[in-house]
Structure formats: structure tokens, C-alpha cells
């Protein structure tokens, strides 16, 4: 199995597995966590017809335990374009579970990118964006948690 904590400890390892520098991974992780929770709550409401009452992270643990592992998994899948049949080895998942994880984890990532209006530059590093786009990234980061009040200077 891949040692995700080791990969996420070095910038060059993170880039080689996800296309993202560590800072970019951390930034997207904040957006992704919010979108993942919204997505999981929507799925729960559709399935059960009511709002979720217990915390999202309670219950049975799967192979991808943390939000970092979930984001790493979907970014790794997108970078390497693995087939579900070969995705089992790095994450020790059966093919059916890999298919389910991709289907579950991809929509929150797409929503996080759409909310920021940065879909057209999603394959570019933040450091390679213009100052205006970097400001948009910062504003998007502030808006993604849907604050009641936002003060811009």
C-alpha cells in the first residue's frame, strides 16, 4: 500500500502522485472537505428522506479513513488514469470498492473547483497564475465555507 503520509510530507512526492504541490494540496483539501461533507449529507437525505443527525465521520471506517486519504485517492486516480482493476494494489481495495470510491469522491472535487470559478485553470499551479487569479483563489477559499459575513480589504 502507498504510504500516503510519507508522500504528503515532501513536495516532490506530492507532485509526482497528484500534480499538486503540498501547499496546493492543502488549499484544495480545505475546499474538498466542505464539499465532501455537503455531498455526503445530500446522499444521506436522498437515501433516508431526512437530515443526518450524527457526525459524518462516525460509524464504520473504510480503507480511506481521513479526508486527506480520500482527496489523495481521487487525485492519484485522475493523475494516473488507473483502471479500477489496477487501482486495488496501491490502496488495497477490491475493484468494486475502487469503483465506488471514485464515484463517491469525484463529485465533491468537481463542485469545489466549480465553486471557485477556477475550472479553466485547474491544471495550472497556483504559483503560475496571475496576481488576479491568485486573488480569486484567495477569495474562493474564503467563500467556500459559505460565511455569513466576509470582510474584504
Amino acid at each position: 500500500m502507498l504510504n500516503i503520509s510519507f508522500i504528503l510530507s515532501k513536495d516532490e512526492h506530492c507532485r509526482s502522485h497528484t500534480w499538486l504541490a503540498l501547499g496546493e494540496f492543502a488549499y484544495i483539501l480545505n475546499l474538498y472537505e466542505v464539499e465532501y461533507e455537503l455531498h455526503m449529507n445530500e446522499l444521506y437525505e436522498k437515501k433516508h428522506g431526512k437530515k443526518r443527525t450524527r457526525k459524518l465521520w462516525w460509524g464504520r471506517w473504510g480503507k480511506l479513513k481521513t479526508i486527506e486519504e480520500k482527496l489523495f485517492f481521487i487525485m492519484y486516480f485522475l493523475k494516473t488514469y488507473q483502471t479500477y482493476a489496477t487501482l486495488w494494489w496501491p490502496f488495497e481495495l477490491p475493484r468494486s470498492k475502487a469503483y465506488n470510491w471514485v464515484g463517491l469522491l469525484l463529485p465533491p472535487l468537481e463542485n469545489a473547483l466549480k465553486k471557485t470559478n477556477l475550472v479553466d485553470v485547474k491544471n495550472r499551479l497556483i504559483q503560475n497564475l496571475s496576481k488576479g487569479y491568485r486573488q480569486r483563489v484567495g477569495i474562493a477559499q474564503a467563500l467556500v465555507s459559505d460565511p455569513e459575513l466576509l470582510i474584504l480589504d
Side-chain angles (χ1 to χ4, degrees), residues 5-6 32 59 79 99 102 110 153:
S5 59
F6 174 75
Y32 186 73
K79 173 148 198 262
Y99 177 79
V102 169
E110 291 171 344
D153 183 21

Side-chain angles (χ1 to χ4, degrees), residues 2-146:
L2 290 174
N3 185 341
I4 297 172
S5 59
F6 174 75
I7 292 168
L8 295 178
S9 70
K10 296 202 176 233
D11 194 60
E12 62 269 14
H13 297 311
C14 189
R15 284 180 195 266
S16 69
H17 287 82
T18 67
W19 277 317
L20 300 171
L22 285 174
E24 294 163 336
F25 187 88
Y27 168 71
I28 289 178
L29 181 65
N30 292 332
L31 302 173
Y32 186 73
E33 184 172 17
V34 171
E35 288 301 320
Y36 178 78
E37 288 182 20
L38 290 171
H39 181 67
M40 294 303 291
N41 287 332
E42 287 173 12
L43 290 177
Y44 185 89
E45 284 183 43
K46 284 180 186 175
K47 183 176 181 179
H48 300 287
K50 62 181 181 177
K51 289 191 179 261
R52 186 178 192 94
T53 54
R54 68 179 181 173
K55 291 183 179 180
L56 183 62
W57 302 108
W58 291 45
R60 266 184 8 172
W61 288 93
K63 286 278 187 181
L64 304 175
K65 294 181 174 106
T66 65
I67 194 68
E68 290 89 359
E69 290 174 349
K70 290 172 175 61
L71 179 59
F72 179 84
F73 173 84
I74 197 63
M75 294 301 297
Y76 181 82
F77 174 77
L78 292 172
K79 173 148 198 262
T80 60
Y81 294 107
Q82 298 258 353
T83 64
Y84 300 113
T86 61
L87 199 55
W88 67 271
W89 175 78
F91 296 95
E92 296 178 353
L93 294 170
R95 181 180 177 183
S96 62
K97 291 291 184 185
Y99 177 79
N100 291 342
W101 276 113
V102 169
L104 184 69
L105 300 176
L106 193 55
L109 180 61
E110 291 171 344
N111 289 339
L113 292 174
K114 284 178 190 173
K115 265 191 173 180
T116 62
N117 287 333
L118 296 172
V119 176
D120 56 331
V121 293
K122 68 180 178 182
N123 292 328
R124 293 174 54 193
L125 300 175
I126 292 175
Q127 66 197 29
N128 295 338
L129 297 175
S130 68
K131 285 185 180 182
Y133 261 107
R134 285 188 215 164
Q135 287 179 334
R136 287 176 67 183
V137 168
I139 291 170
Q141 187 175 14
L143 291 174
V144 78
S145 62
D146 204 18

